[in-house]
Amino acid sequence: MSQQCHAPFISLEGIDGAGKSTHVPAIYRWIGEQGFKWIHTREPGGTPLGEQLRTLVLNTPMQAETEALMMFAARAEHIHQVILPALKRGDWVVSDRFSDASVAYQGGGRELGVSKVEALESWTHPGLQPDLTLLFDLSPEIAAQRLQSGRGDRDRFELEQTTFFDRVRAAYLQRAQQFPERFLVLDAAQSPERVWIRIEEVLEILKKRSVQA
Ligand code: TMP
């Protein structure tokens, strides 16, 4: 579906504490400076129903299957109410997480297996994937230190052990290998300035492609 639109769909991914949010303002600034409109959205969330599901899924103990289904329930609303309308208007869409997060967290972290999550993916959004996925890759040990020195209250995911995040990280990296044409794996242990240089290079390429499309 995204291939028919000129405006790109970008997703930001990584384990909790990898620092993806640090780069969000610079990305919006850059898109705005190029003269494009953009929207900032997130998963789970992005719609009134999605935000309610987010509160539940981040704070209520539940089965891994329930968790996966809630992520995709929120995603279905998000796609139809927010992502596709924005792309049709010609706005760039930058989403904090998309289905790669379900593959990594529910498929890998919760050990549901990738194929179950891929089945939900092909049912919920056949043909729609981000044009660019920025994967902020960081060791779970460093990410845990960053989380500890950060905000106060932690959600169900942020309270998980390092071994959980090892599985999440491995599933993300496997997914990046599977889809090299849309993934950019960033070494999030580097300084934000160095990480930004790589992001800007790829945004330039994406801009050229979207103008030519
Ligand atoms: P955030 O902290 O980046 O806003 O993401 C909320 C949490 O939800 C984060 O720990 C990752 C998790 N998550 C999943 O487990 N599966 C998903 O499909 C998505 C979108 C997020």
Side-chain angles (χ1 to χ4, degrees):
M1 286 184 244
S2 66
Q3 286 84 340
Q4 293 163 6
C5 307
H6 291 219
F9 172 21
I10 302 169
S11 61
L12 311 178
E13 300 282 359
I15 62 169
D16 293 77
K20 61 185 166 51
S21 313
T22 308
H23 297 278
V24 167
I27 293 173
Y28 297 142
R29 205 166 34 246
W30 186 92
I31 299 172
E33 280 167 8
Q34 312 306 309
F36 299 113
K37 288 190 181 158
W38 47 266
I39 63 154
H40 176 207
T41 187
R42 70 173 180 179
E43 291 202 352
T47 66
L49 176 57
E51 290 297 326
Q52 287 187 48
L53 290 169
R54 179 187 176 92
T55 304
L56 279 171
V57 82
L58 262 53
N59 300 297
T60 316
M62 62 184 72
Q63 297 297 313
E65 287 82 358
T66 316
E67 192 179 277
L69 291 167
M70 286 179 70
M71 294 295 179
F72 276 93
R75 183 162 299 128
E77 289 297 304
H78 192 215
I79 289 167
H80 291 286
Q81 289 191 31
V82 177
I83 297 177
L84 292 179
L87 292 173
K88 282 198 185 112
R89 286 196 305 272
D91 295 355
W92 288 44
V93 173
V94 183
S95 183
D96 247 324
R97 304 192 186 279
F98 193 63
S99 284
D100 299 311
S102 300
V103 172
Y105 278 78
Q106 282 67 53
R110 300 283 189 231
E111 300 181 280
L112 277 183
V114 171
S115 60
K116 280 186 189 157
V117 180
E118 283 176 343
L120 292 174
E121 204 181 13
S122 54
W123 184 65
T124 312
H125 54 89
L128 176 70
Q129 286 294 351
D131 299 288
L132 170 67
T133 299
L134 301 175
L135 173 56
F136 294 85
D137 181 53
L138 189 65
S139 87
E141 289 77 14
I142 302 177
Q145 285 165 16
R146 287 188 182 173
L147 280 178
Q148 263 161 19
S149 58
R151 333 159 253 147
D153 286 352
R154 302 223 231 144
D155 64 43
R156 257 175 6 97
F157 294 99
E158 291 167 337
L159 288 168
E160 285 290 344
Q161 303 297 310
T162 306
T163 50
F164 173 85
F165 288 110
D166 283 334
R167 292 194 296 274
V168 175
R169 184 190 193 192
Y172 265 135
L173 290 172
Q174 207 178 349
R175 186 93 161 157
Q177 277 192 347
Q178 195 183 346
F179 299 107
E181 69 289 350
R182 72 172 167 92
F183 265 89
L184 174 66
V185 182
L186 296 156
D187 177 0
Q190 292 183 324
S191 68
E193 293 74 21
R194 287 190 76 103
V195 174
W196 172 249
I197 289 170
R198 287 292 290 127
I199 295 175
E200 196 173 15
E201 282 170 4
V202 172
L203 289 176
E204 284 287 354
I205 296 169
L206 199 59
K207 181 179 102 180
K208 287 201 187 102
R209 264 202 256 146
S210 71
V211 170
Q212 284 162 3

